[in-house]
Amino acid sequence: MRITTKTMKLPFRRLKLKSQMMLILGLMALLQTSMLGWFAMQYLSQSLDDEIGLKTLHVAKTIAAMPEVTSAVLADNSSYLQPLSLTLANQTDARFVVIGNQQGLRLAHPNTAKLGASMMDDDNDNISPTLSHGRAVISKAKGSLGWSMRARAPIFGPNGEDIIGLVSVGYLLDNIDAVINKYRATLMWAILASFGFSLLTALWFANHFKKAIFGLEPEQIGQLYQERNATLESVREGIITTNADGEVTTINKAALHFLDLDKEKMWLGQNISTIIPNSPMLDHQLTATAAFEQEVWFNQKPFIVNRLPLLKQTQVIGVVASFRPKDELDLVSQELKHIQQYADSLRSQAHEYTNKLHTIAGLIQIGASDQALALIGQENQAHQVLIKLLMDTVPDPVLAGCLLGKFNRAKELGLELYIDPESHMSDLPLHIPRDQLVSMVGNIIDNAMEACLMSDASGNTVSISMTDYGTDLIFEVEDQGPGIDSNLHSVIFTKGYSTKHGEDHGIGLHLVQKLAARLGGYVAMENVTKGGSRLTISLPKQAPSL
């Protein structure tokens, strides 16, 4: 027989949150009302005992002060006191009135068989404090007629000093129990009504609470909280959330990094104005309007910011802002642009070969087979030379493909891309991303080709040489364009600056410089004596330390 075990949850843990809340609140209400009921019953019982005890003592003192009782006790006139005691007991609703003489012998008692016997014979009641010291006493004891609340009062002689007897008056506790039982029933109904009201209140509160937390269970809320934290820390954008008072309620690590904030400091609960002075987040709380793709400057850095107010019905309860440095977005945009240019270059190459295939097909159709073979051999030889040069010089297929595409693009523009046969670029480190390397090399070649097209001179050659000897990778690209004024060398890499007219300029060289700096290298420009300019990219083979 195979025995399997698995973790068992307690029955209470299996209940839904709503059921748990009703059960807990109901039990608490039941416990509280039960304790209050027990206390009330104890207090009522004690109060009734005290009240009956005082009433009993008052009756006993009153009977003891009656002149006829005094005279009859002095004469030991039991025949007079016996019917009198019964009458007094009936008039005061007492259960018994017992009268004794100076020796403690009964002169009057509801049970005539007890007459003449000591008042201590059946309950061991100590009557000496009353007979010897004249003290009135209240006690609760079990006598011959059952449990009773009794009071004893001394009977003084005519001179008011000598103790000649005592009076004992008692009220049986069955009357008290009846009263307590009556109140106990009332209290039980009150407890049940309170318990029912507590259950209804618990039901309302549980429904309200479940609605406030969107019907989720505590385990689901905990899981969502963990997922929310993981999501905030996984995104590369900075995220800040504020409440209606402008206090920060959420801030992720990316936001701390972008804003150069101390990661060890507690920023939650602080006003957004202490983190970002003159922050427009509070303006959006007032207007309840969203803002997307806005450029905002902070610490002399541009950021692209999205802001979205949090609404509860029509009331603004906070604002969520996500942001990212504008330079990073520009870099990504330019990288995508140059990937597109690379794809265009490959399409140009395919277009060029298609034209040549059409030419060869036409020569074959008109019977010019020799010319077709010569054209095929020429193209094949030139292509094989270029491919062999690239295979020997640049074994990396991504960089080689970029150069091949630029070679064909140059031919399409009526230019020539000359690759120095002495170049050598086979030791490319793995830490250099190939897409970034292609973006940098492609940018400076495009820049050189545009310079040649702008020149009025006859030069139409763009030259590139590469070397990986030593500790750095060096790429040099020369053009035969008009060159760059030496006074502009310090600003040529500034974003947005360009010597060309039209849109989409002033970004390429800025991107090259940013990528080179990210890899620990640099970009330099100089004019060459024969005309044109030379751009040099230097990248260290060793990865920069973080």
Side-chain angles (χ1 to χ4, degrees), residues 254-395:
L256 297 176
H257 172 70
F258 291 149
L259 300 178
D260 296 326
L261 299 176
D262 185 1
K263 295 180 177 60
E264 302 298 327
K265 186 175 180 180
M266 176 57 68
W267 295 103
L268 298 181
Q270 297 198 26
N271 196 280
I272 187 64
S273 60
T274 63
I275 302 176
I276 307 177
N278 302 319
S279 171
M281 291 182 70
L282 295 179
D283 297 336
H284 286 269
Q285 286 178 307
L286 298 176
T287 60
T289 56
F292 301 100
E293 303 298 326
Q294 286 192 338
E295 183 172 342
V296 175
W297 286 79
F298 178 73
N299 286 348
Q300 300 180 346
K301 297 178 183 178
F303 293 91
I304 300 299
V305 181
N306 299 306
R307 285 184 293 269
L308 186 67
L310 299 174
L311 300 177
K312 185 177 182 180
Q313 296 179 348
T314 59
Q315 182 181 3
V316 180
I317 60 173
V319 174
V320 177
S322 62
F323 55 93
R324 193 170 184 179
K326 189 172 184 294
D327 288 345
E328 287 193 9
L329 297 177
D330 290 339
L331 291 177
V332 172
S333 177
Q334 286 301 311
E335 289 178 7
L336 293 175
K337 177 182 177 181
H338 285 285
I339 291 175
Q340 180 65 39
Q341 292 176 353
Y342 176 62
D344 291 341
S345 298
L346 293 179
R347 281 195 295 269
S348 298
Q349 180 181 0
H351 179 70
E352 181 182 359
Y353 279 107
T354 300
N355 291 334
K356 290 177 180 179
L357 287 174
H358 290 164
T359 303
I360 294 171
L363 290 173
I364 293 174
Q365 288 177 357
I366 63 175
S369 302
D370 293 339
Q371 289 83 347
L373 290 174
L375 181 59
I376 292 173
Q378 178 184 351
E379 289 300 322
N380 184 59
Q381 182 180 5
H383 188 68
Q384 291 299 322
V385 170
L386 177 61
I387 291 178
K388 185 176 186 307
L389 174 62
L390 291 176
M391 291 180 62
D392 294 339
T393 304
V394 188

Side-chain angles (χ1 to χ4, degrees), residues 479-490:
D479 62 65
Q480 294 179 340
I484 302 295
D485 189 339
S486 59
N487 294 327
L488 301 178
H489 287 184
S490 60

